[in-house]
Amino acid sequence: DFQDDAIIKINSDGEILFKKSVSEILLENKIWDDNQINLLSNNIRNKLDPIHLNDIEPIFFDSKYWKKGDVFLSLRHQSSVIHYRPDENKIINYITGPFSQQHDVDIISQEEIMIFNNNNFVTDNEFSEILIYNFKTKKFKKLLQKQLKKEKFKTYSGGVAQMLKDGSIMVDEHDHGRIIFFDNKGIKEWEYTNKDKNGDINLTSWPTIIEDEDIIQRFKELKKNTKCTN
C-alpha cells in the first residue's frame, strides 16, 4: 500500500537519461530513516501516499544558491520543498516553513522562489496564500494577502500561482474552478470561472499564461494551417 514517486529526465528522442525514486532521495540523504517513511504523515490517506510529489521545477541557470540542472521538488504530504542536485544525488536545501500541503514552486529571481501555499493547517487555514522564500535571508514573505482574503480565495487541493515578467500574478483556485489575475500593483484586473453551459462549475488544472512570443506565434501558425475534420 506504499505509493512512491519518482523524477525522470527524458531527452527529445524519448530516451530516459535519469530516473530516481523520491523515497530513495530522502533515505540516501538522511532526511528519513527506514522506520520513518510511513510515520511522518498524520492520517491514513497520507500514510499510503506519504510523498505526493506535485511539482518538479527544473533550474536552467546558475546562481549563488543553485546550479543549472538542479530541481525543486514539492512534496505535498510532507509540506516540504526539496532543492535537489541529481548529478550528485544530493539534497542542497530541505525547506519547510509557514506552508502546509503546498503546490507549485516557481523560480522568480536569482535568490527567490515562489510557493503556492494551500494553507491546510489545522487552524488559521481559511485562505490559500502566495509565499516568497529568499535564500539569502532564509526568510518568507506573503504576497497579495489582503486581496486573497477579500476574494475568500481557498483551494484545499491543486492550485497555481504564476508571476509574469512585469510582476503581475495569476492565481488558480483549483477546487472552485476560478482564476484571478492581479496587476503588478495588486489590483484585480479580471477573473474567470470555469462554468459549463448548464452553469455547473468545473475544476481548473495548472493553467499557464504564455509570455514567449515565439510559442504564441507557433500556436497561431498551427491554428491557421489546421482544418476541422468534423
Side-chain angles (χ1 to χ4, degrees):
D1 292 328
F2 178 83
Q3 181 174 318
D4 195 4
D5 292 292
I7 60 172
I8 302 175
K9 183 178 181 179
I10 305 173
N11 69 14
S12 57
D13 295 322
E15 179 185 3
I16 294 177
L17 304 177
F18 177 88
K19 181 178 180 179
K20 188 72 175 176
S21 153
V22 177
S23 292
E24 287 180 348
I25 292 171
L26 294 169
L27 288 166
E28 292 166 5
N29 282 270
K30 303 186 186 308
I31 300 299
W32 285 349
D33 63 41
D34 292 326
N35 296 320
Q36 284 183 316
I37 288 180
N38 267 337
L39 298 178
L40 295 178
S41 301
N42 57 11
N43 60 50
I44 293 299
R45 176 187 173 191
N46 290 8
K47 288 182 186 299
L48 302 180
D49 179 18
I51 297 169
H52 199 94
L53 175 64
N54 58 31
D55 190 20
I56 304 172
E57 181 74 10
I59 300 175
F60 296 113
F61 62 92
D62 291 334
S63 87
K64 183 178 179 180
Y65 302 98
W66 53 71
K67 288 173 55 178
K68 181 179 179 181
D70 293 355
V71 290
F72 287 110
L73 310 178
S74 172
L75 310 187
R76 181 184 193 265
H77 288 168
Q78 295 305 318
S79 295
S80 64
V81 172
I82 291 175
H83 172 200
Y84 176 63
R85 186 160 293 158
D87 60 2
E88 299 178 17
N89 187 34
K90 184 177 180 181
I91 291 178
I92 309 301
N93 292 285
Y94 183 74
I95 303 166
T96 58
F99 56 88
S100 176
Q101 299 191 343
Q102 76 295 331
H103 284 72
D104 189 32
V105 179
D106 293 327
I107 302 164
I108 61 170
S109 75
Q110 294 279 339
E111 60 185 34
E112 294 174 309
I113 57 174
M114 182 168 68
I115 300 170
F116 183 92
N117 177 25
N118 292 76
N119 198 19
N120 293 336
F121 288 106
V122 177
T123 61
D124 299 324
N125 60 5
E126 291 183 67
F127 310 105
S128 297
E129 299 175 331
I130 302 170
L131 300 179
I132 304 296
Y133 178 71
N134 188 295
F135 284 82
K136 182 178 180 180
T137 63
K138 301 186 184 305
K139 293 183 178 179
F140 291 90
K141 67 178 180 180
K142 299 179 180 181
L143 297 183
L144 302 176
Q145 191 74 350
K146 292 180 180 179
Q147 294 90 329
L148 296 178
K149 284 186 177 181
K150 179 181 177 181
E151 296 293 335
K152 295 180 170 58
F153 182 87
K154 173 67 178 182
T155 179
Y156 175 80
S157 64
V160 169
Q162 179 184 358
M163 180 179 290
L164 278 64
K165 295 174 184 176
D166 67 352
S168 54
I169 294 178
M170 177 197 73
V171 289
D172 164 41
E173 193 181 32
H174 168 82
D175 289 350
H176 304 290
R178 181 169 62 149
I179 300 170
I180 306 176
F181 186 86
F182 297 95
D183 69 15
N184 56 16
K185 296 181 177 60
I187 298 171
K188 184 171 78 170
E189 286 196 358
W190 54 264
E191 74 172 57
Y192 165 78
T193 303
N194 190 25
K195 291 183 179 180
D196 61 24
K197 63 182 180 181
N198 297 318
D200 296 321
I201 296 175
N202 300 282
L203 299 177
T204 47
S205 185
W206 296 89
T208 300
I209 294 176
I210 300 172
E211 292 189 273
D212 189 314
E213 293 292 340
D214 291 335
I215 294 177
I216 294 171
Q217 188 57 40
R218 287 202 294 273
F219 272 127
K220 289 180 178 179
E221 291 298 324
L222 284 170
K223 182 179 178 182
K224 184 167 57 177
N225 298 322
T226 300
K227 294 182 179 180
C228 181
T229 58
N230 294 328

